[in-house]
């Protein structure tokens, strides 16, 4: 049975910070951010644009194309995030309510740093294989926060990707064989008491590259990496330079023509991420959308590799085959318009939005609406509860 991504959509806040402005404000050379880190802009969410709102808005983007029967066949909703809004209640339940999904289904949240989206996708694929006729909705949604003036400030961002997983998918059929490894590391983490993440940036790069090399070697030994048949190789992209470093490790080990093809496609795959920044769980899948929408030369039947990395750490290399008619399921014009319509923030505006916080004493807080045009937003806190539009 072919199972994979049948629909895919993303949402991102309607405001951004230009990283040249950030470089000037922090006394850095803009080329460090633009070339050294490889990013151009980062999305800046307001309090109303939390992961529940962004996740639901991403899914709404595909729901216009779903009939009632398809909606009723969704048996599993997974929200993957490392920016959860509650220690107990799954953010998937807020999303489930906002989307008006059937009650006869499972709705859960998954966490393993930036790997969570892939954990969700693979579990969803297994669920669909085990329950023929059902579908699963996977939402990867995150807000990357390191702090004003922090080392990782330039690698912040926000957004969500929603994927509908189904039999006979219209976009990407997932191969069942993949390679995956887990190992406890302390390269990046966010303690329960902290609103900002901590990262040992250089160590994290090292673990990412080590685990990619281990995955690649194992995949090679299993015969999964015949590069002449691999049309693209996507990477988890906390910032584009990280994925580029991963790809470069193959430069001396695969034929030049294959390396050039993978590099050209890698460039298409980082275009959207360079505009919104790190989406943690959703970064790899935003890269997939970017590749599929910005590359004109891929065809149905082409094989794509995807390397997923989550600090802490889990790393999986998996593969998929593009399906006939996949372009009809994409929304390049809409996504380009979404990115182009965003408001550019000044540094003062960015710092003010970044510093705003939700009440923690149970009092009522009406949240300023960051984007009245969006279907879903966090609108109020009251009695420690969250209320959404
Ligand atoms: N022009 C071009 N490149 C420049 C430059 C300039 N003027 N100035 C610096 N650079 C390059 C550096 O050579 C370096 O390149 P390299 O990585 O290829 O060696 C790169 O820019 C970054 O510079 P560096 O001084 O190493 O940056 P930093 O100490 O500020 O750290 C990160 C950068 C990305 C490590 C840091 O922002 C971070 O920790 N971010 C969080 C990462 C993360 O999320 N990890 C976990 C998820 S996988």
């Amino acid at each position: 049975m072919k199972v994979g991504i049948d629909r895919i959509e993303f949402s991102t806040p309607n405001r951004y910070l230009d990283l040249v402005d950030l470089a000037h404000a922090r006394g850095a050379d803009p080329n460090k951010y633009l070339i050294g880190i490889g990013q151009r802009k980062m999305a800046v969410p307001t309090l109303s644009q939390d992961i529940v709102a962004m996740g639901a808005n991403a899914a709404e983007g595909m729901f216009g194309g779903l009939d009632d029967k398809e909606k009723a066949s969704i048996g599993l909703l997974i929200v993957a995030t490392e920016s959860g809004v509650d220690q107990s209640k799954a953010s998937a339940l807020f999303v489930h309510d906002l989307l008006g999904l059937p009650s006869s289904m499972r709705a859960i949240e998954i966490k393993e740093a930036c790997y969570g989206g892939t954990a969700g996708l693979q579990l969803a694929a297994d669920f669909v294989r085990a329950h023929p006729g059902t579908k699963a909705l996977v939402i990867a949604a995150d807000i990357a926060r390191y702090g004003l003036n922090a080392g990782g400030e330039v690698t912040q961002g926000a957004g969500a990707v929603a994927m509908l997983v189904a039999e006979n998918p219209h976009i990407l059929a997932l191969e069942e064989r993949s390679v995956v490894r887990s190992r406890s590391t302390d390269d990046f983490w966010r303690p329960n008491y902290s609103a900002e993440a901590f990262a040992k940036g250089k160590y994290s790069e090292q673990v990412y590259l080590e685990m990619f090399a281990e995955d690649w070697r194992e995949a090679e030994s299993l015969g999964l990496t015949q590069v002449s048949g691999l049309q693209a190789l996507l990477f988890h992209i906390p910032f584009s330079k990280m994925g580029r470093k991963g790809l470069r490790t193959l430069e001396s080990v695969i034929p030049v023509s294959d390396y050039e093809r993978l590099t050209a496609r890698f460039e298409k795959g980082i275009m959207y991420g360079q505009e919104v920044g790190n989406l943690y769980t959703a970064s790899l899948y935003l890269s997939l959308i970017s590749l599929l929408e910005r590359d004109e030369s891929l065809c149905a039947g082409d094989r794509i590799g995807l390397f997923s990395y989550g600090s802490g750490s889990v790393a999986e290399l998996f593969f998929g085959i593009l399906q006939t008619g996949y372009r009809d399921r994409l929304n390049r014009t809409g996504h380009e318009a979404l990115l182009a319509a965003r408001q550019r923030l000044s540094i003062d505006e960015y710092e003010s939005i970044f510093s705003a916080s939700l009440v923690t004493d149970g009092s009522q807080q009406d949240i300023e609406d960051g984007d009245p045009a969006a279907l879903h937003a966090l609108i109020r806190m009251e009695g420690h509860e969250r209320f959404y539009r």
Side-chain angles (χ1 to χ4, degrees), residues 28-38 114 144 146 150-156 187-188 198-202 204-205 208 236-239 241-242 245 248 278 280 309-311:
D29 180 344
N31 281 337
K32 172 176 173 180
Y33 294 177
L34 299 174
I35 301 167
I37 306 276
C114 304
Y146 294 88
E153 185 179 26
V154 63
T155 59
Q156 298 177 140
D187 60 329
F188 169 104
F198 300 96
K200 295 177 193 164
K202 297 296 167 191
S204 188
E205 287 186 14
Y208 177 118
H236 165 52
I237 298 180
F239 47 99
K241 181 64 150 308
M242 187 66 255
K245 285 184 183 178
R248 276 187 191 151
N278 193 356
Y280 288 162
Y309 174 79
S311 292

Side-chain angles (χ1 to χ4, degrees), residues 8 16 33 35 53 67 69 79 108 116 120 125 135 147 187 192 204 213-214 238 258 260 285 310 325 329 344 356 389:
I8 190 164
Y16 72 90
Y33 294 177
I35 301 167
D67 59 32
K69 197 168 153 238
V79 173
I108 57 165
K135 298 183 197 301
D187 60 329
N192 285 347
S204 188
E214 289 162 18
D258 292 326
E260 285 174 353
Y285 300 99
R329 289 276 163 122
R344 178 176 179 166
R389 175 175 72 233

Side-chain angles (χ1 to χ4, degrees), residues 303-365:
R303 186 167 184 257
I304 295 177
L306 299 99
F307 175 67
S308 180
Y309 174 79
S311 292
S313 298
V314 181
E316 181 160 357
L317 179 61
F318 62 105
F319 302 87
I321 308 286
L322 277 178
Q323 298 299 294
T324 305
Y326 76 90
R327 284 186 195 281
D328 301 337
R329 289 276 163 122
L330 303 175
N331 182 17
R332 174 173 173 164
T333 317
H335 294 148
E336 285 175 352
L338 173 80
L339 294 175
R342 295 180 301 165
Q343 178 198 343
R344 178 176 179 166
L345 296 173
S346 68
I347 289 291
D348 284 350
E349 289 168 328
Y350 151 66
E351 292 190 346
S352 159
I353 291 173
F354 189 93
S355 304
S357 58
L358 297 176
V359 292
T360 56
D361 60 0
S363 60
Q364 180 172 335
Q365 179 183 21

Side-chain angles (χ1 to χ4, degrees), residues 95-380:
V95 173
H96 177 267
D97 183 41
L98 294 174
L99 296 177
L101 290 172
S103 58
S104 55
M105 62 180 292
R106 297 179 180 129
I108 57 165
E109 182 172 312
I110 278 189
K111 177 175 70 184
E112 195 333 82
C114 304
Y115 174 73
T118 303
L121 180 64
Q122 295 290 20
L123 287 174
D126 286 344
F127 174 85
V128 171
R129 288 182 194 113
H131 301 86
T134 61
K135 298 183 197 301
L137 178 58
V138 179
I139 294 175
D142 266 306
I143 297 173
R145 268 177 80 93
Y146 294 88
L148 301 177
N149 290 294
E153 185 179 26
V154 63
T155 59
Q156 298 177 140
V161 170
M163 296 177 274
L164 190 67
V165 178
E167 285 170 54
N168 301 317
H170 285 84
I171 298 177
L172 191 74
L174 296 171
E175 293 182 6
E176 285 195 50
R177 288 210 305 172
S178 71
V179 292
V180 61
R181 53 208 348 95
S182 298
R183 121 161 54 139
S184 178
T185 61
D186 295 304
D187 60 329
F188 169 104
W189 67 104
R190 183 166 70 83
N192 285 347
Y193 52 77
S194 177
E196 273 93 42
F198 300 96
K200 295 177 193 164
K202 297 296 167 191
Y203 175 56
S204 188
E205 287 186 14
Q206 181 194 323
V207 181
Y208 177 118
L209 295 175
E210 280 171 13
M211 290 181 84
F212 171 64
E214 289 162 18
D215 273 1
W216 184 265
R217 273 198 301 274
E218 186 181 337
E220 241 176 351
S221 72
L222 295 170
L224 300 177
T225 58
Q226 299 91 345
V227 283
S228 59
L230 198 58
Q231 294 304 318
L233 181 58
L234 297 176
F235 287 81
H236 165 52
I237 298 180
F239 47 99
S240 73
K241 181 64 150 308
M242 187 66 255
R244 192 179 295 285
K245 285 184 183 178
L247 182 58
R248 276 187 191 151
T249 62
L250 299 180
E251 188 169 7
S252 54
V253 293
I254 63 175
V256 175
S257 60
D258 292 326
Y259 184 72
E260 285 174 353
R261 181 181 65 257
L262 296 184
T263 302
R265 297 245 162 82
F266 173 83
E267 301 297 341
K268 305 286 184 188
I270 60 176
M271 292 176 84
Y272 290 167
Q274 286 182 314
E275 295 289 310
V276 300
N278 193 356
L279 307 190
Y280 288 162
T281 49
S283 288
L284 175 63
Y285 300 99
L286 183 65
S287 182
L288 176 63
I289 297 174
S290 182
L291 172 73
L292 299 186
E293 291 188 353
R294 304 308 294 258
D295 188 287
E296 308 283 347
S297 57
L298 282 165
C299 304
D302 282 348
R303 186 167 184 257
I304 295 177
L306 299 99
F307 175 67
S308 180
Y309 174 79
S311 292
S313 298
V314 181
E316 181 160 357
L317 179 61
F318 62 105
F319 302 87
I321 308 286
L322 277 178
Q323 298 299 294
T324 305
Y326 76 90
R327 284 186 195 281
D328 301 337
R329 289 276 163 122
L330 303 175
N331 182 17
R332 174 173 173 164
T333 317
H335 294 148
E336 285 175 352
L338 173 80
L339 294 175
R342 295 180 301 165
Q343 178 198 343
R344 178 176 179 166
L345 296 173
S346 68
I347 289 291
D348 284 350
E349 289 168 328
Y350 151 66
E351 292 190 346
S352 159
I353 291 173
F354 189 93
S355 304
S357 58
L358 297 176
V359 292
T360 56
D361 60 0
S363 60
Q364 180 172 335
Q365 179 183 21
D366 294 316
I367 315 282
E368 195 180 331
D369 194 347
D371 184 4
L375 277 172
H376 303 296
L378 177 66
I379 53 170
R380 194 171 78 255

